[in-house]
Amino acid sequence: MAGAAEPPGRAAEYLQELTRIVAAQQGLLARRRRRIEELERQVARLSRENAGLLERHRRHLAACARRADRGPGPGLGPQPLGAVPELGSRLDK
């Protein structure tokens, strides 16, 4: 850093350079904060979507268990997922 014998102009240059460095660092921190907020929103959205999918899967398994309890009837073989009301709308997407 500038010593006591440095001319005032040189000290001012050091100060300006430090000011530029601090401003650049603040800009980088702001960008990182925005990115973190964006990623947190994405995680929240994916968590909600995952919870919905888990609930649909649970309902599908319950429907399968109910069908299995009834036993195979005439024409009641394995059905495609689209035939299950809980999953039909999901497959259309």
Side-chain angles (χ1 to χ4, degrees):
M1 187 87 185
E6 295 270 350
R10 186 81 173 140
E13 288 175 21
Y14 282 127
L15 184 57
Q16 287 174 342
E17 181 62 22
L18 286 174
T19 302
R20 283 192 292 273
I21 290 170
V22 168
Q25 291 297 314
Q26 287 174 337
L28 288 172
L29 287 172
R31 280 180 41 201
R32 286 185 180 154
R33 269 189 234 108
R34 286 191 302 270
R35 180 65 177 144
I36 288 169
E37 290 168 358
E38 176 185 325
L39 291 170
E40 286 174 341
R41 286 190 300 270
Q42 187 176 3
V43 165
R45 180 184 59 79
L46 290 171
S47 293
R48 287 189 305 270
E49 182 179 338
N50 189 48
L53 290 172
L54 287 171
E55 177 58 24
R56 285 182 186 156
H57 182 64
R58 187 196 62 74
R59 288 193 316 257
H60 171 70
L61 292 177
C64 289
R66 286 191 304 272
R67 270 194 303 261
D69 288 344
R70 289 191 303 236
L76 286 181
Q79 297 178 354
L81 289 178
V84 178
E86 293 87 1
L87 297 176
S89 63
R90 181 69 179 164
L91 293 176
D92 294 338
K93 294 181 182 177

